[in-house]
């Protein structure tokens, strides 16, 4: 395949698509095509750039003004690809004459969008060195996220996860940012925010003891003599809390 730079040719250029701005309260479930094939009349130098040199971005397709037809819980709509000709020039710099675009129509399927707040969880496999322990629970900031998507999917979701937290031999806090992981079957859901801060609090613990009196709860007028009158309670306490319990 050879091109003379100054000659004009007709060639088919594949253009990938990305879809933005779904109609209000709707979420995109399916689209008939994610690539269009544009037949363009252009100089050889430009065709070479389009097909082999330039790392083209996807063409952004705005769905906001699609006219929808309801079908039960779903709605459908379409866009004629001929309406994208101006965008090919503005967005991608395609300056030649567009002869044809295939397919001639993009078909869309939407569903009503709902939202629900759900807690963040993780699968924890965490260990510490001797004398160290996890201080309380793993902390997520924020501790919940807003899920948006189709009703049918949201109804079955009770929590979202950041995946596995695998650490051994910890002696100090761990702080990191983890993305929210959604199962493949939940691909039509969106988490806001889509990542959270994770804090694994680690403290050094020591053993302490405390002598406490024994009390008896009894009916009025009953007397008891206890032997012994106190017991010694042994416990583990974080060093930073030691002064509060001694």
């Amino acid at each position: 395949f050879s091109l003379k730079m100054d000659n004009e040719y007709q060639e088919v250029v594949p253009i990938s698509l990305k879809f933005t701005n779904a109609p209000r309260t709707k979420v995109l479930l399916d689209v008939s095509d994610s690539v269009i094939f544009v037949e363009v009349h252009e100089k050889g130098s430009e065709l070479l750039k389009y097909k082999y040199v330039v790392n083209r971005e996807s063409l952004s397709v705005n769905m906001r003004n699609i006219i929808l037809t309801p079908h039960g819980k779903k709605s459908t709509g379409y866009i004629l690809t001929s309406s994208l000709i101006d965008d090919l020039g503005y967005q991608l710099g395609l300056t030649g004459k567009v002869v044809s675009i295939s397919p001639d129509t993009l078909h869309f399927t939407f569903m009503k969008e709902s939202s629900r707040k759900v807690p963040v969880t993780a699968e924890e496999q965490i260990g510490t060195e001797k004398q160290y322990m996890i201080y309380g629970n793993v902390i997520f900031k924020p501790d919940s996220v807003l899920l948006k998507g189709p009703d049918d999917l949201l109804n079955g979701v009770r929590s979202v996860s950041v995946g596995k937290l695998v650490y051994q031999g910890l002696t100090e806090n761990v702080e990191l940012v983890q993305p929210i992981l959604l199962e493949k079957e939940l691909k039509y859901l969106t988490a806001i925010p889509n990542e959270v801060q994770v804090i694994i609090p680690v403290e050094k613990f020591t053993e302490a003891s405390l002598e406490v009196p024994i009390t008896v709860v009894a009916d009025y007028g009953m007397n008891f003599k206890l032997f012994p009158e106190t017991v010694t309670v042994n416990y583990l306490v974080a060093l930073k809390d030691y002064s509060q319990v001694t």
Side-chain angles (χ1 to χ4, degrees):
F1 178 72
S2 61
L3 287 174
K4 291 185 178 180
M5 297 298 100
D6 291 331
N7 288 0
E8 294 191 347
Y9 302 85
Q10 274 189 201
E11 284 290 331
V12 175
V13 180
I15 304 290
S16 61
L17 306 176
K18 62 180 179 182
F19 303 98
T20 62
N21 299 326
R24 291 179 62 84
T25 74
K26 301 295 182 183
V27 59
L28 178 64
L29 287 184
D30 188 43
V31 63
S32 58
D33 297 274
S34 59
V35 177
I36 57 174
F37 297 89
V38 181
E39 187 177 6
V40 62
H41 188 85
E42 183 60 280
K43 284 185 177 181
S45 57
E46 292 299 310
L47 283 174
L48 182 67
K49 181 173 68 175
Y50 297 149
K51 297 193 70 171
Y52 303 108
V53 179
V54 175
N55 183 19
R56 289 192 310 274
E57 295 183 359
S58 298
L59 179 68
S60 180
V61 178
N62 189 338
M63 303 179 290
R64 180 53 52 89
N65 296 320
I66 293 178
I67 297 174
L68 299 179
T69 302
H71 299 277
K73 290 185 176 181
K74 297 180 180 179
S75 300
T76 59
Y78 66 90
I79 290 177
L80 298 178
T81 53
S82 58
S83 68
L84 304 176
I85 291 177
D86 288 343
D87 291 329
L88 289 168
Y90 298 146
Q91 295 185 37
L92 305 183
L94 196 67
T95 56
K97 180 182 178 181
V98 174
V99 178
S100 66
I101 302 177
S102 178
D104 60 7
T105 308
L106 299 173
H107 297 275
F108 300 84
T109 303
F110 299 91
M111 183 172 275
K112 182 180 177 181
E113 183 180 65
S114 297
S115 61
R116 171 185 292 171
K117 205 169 187 179
V118 295
V120 178
T121 64
E123 184 181 339
E124 301 173 19
Q125 298 177 16
I126 304 171
T128 59
E129 290 287 0
K130 289 183 178 180
Q131 291 189 290
Y132 290 85
M133 295 176 66
I134 305 301
Y135 187 78
N137 299 313
V138 173
I139 300 167
F140 303 103
K141 292 184 176 182
D143 62 3
S144 58
V145 298
L146 184 69
L147 282 184
K148 297 179 110 178
D151 270 330
D152 291 353
L153 288 181
L154 280 177
N155 288 339
V157 181
R158 296 293 174 264
S159 64
V160 292
S161 175
V162 295
K164 290 184 178 180
L165 299 176
V166 182
Y167 294 92
Q168 296 299 323
L170 294 181
T171 59
E172 59 183 15
N173 293 353
V174 174
E175 296 189 19
L176 66 157
V177 174
Q178 287 283 95
I180 299 296
L181 303 179
L182 296 176
E183 301 292 337
K184 191 174 182 180
E185 60 268 23
L186 301 179
K187 65 179 180 178
Y188 295 116
L189 296 183
T190 302
I192 304 172
N194 61 6
E195 60 183 23
V196 297
Q197 183 184 13
V198 181
I199 302 172
I200 304 174
V202 177
E203 290 289 340
K204 192 171 186 179
F205 280 69
T206 187
E207 187 174 291
S209 60
L210 191 64
E211 191 171 276
V212 296
I214 301 174
T215 59
V216 176
V217 178
D219 292 336
Y220 180 77
M222 298 181 68
N223 296 315
F224 291 89
K225 186 66 175 176
L226 300 176
F227 300 97
E229 295 181 344
T230 61
V231 295
T232 300
V233 178
N234 296 318
Y235 56 91
L236 290 173
V237 60
L239 288 181
K240 72 174 188 176
D241 296 332
Y242 189 82
S243 62
Q244 300 177 36
V245 292
T246 56

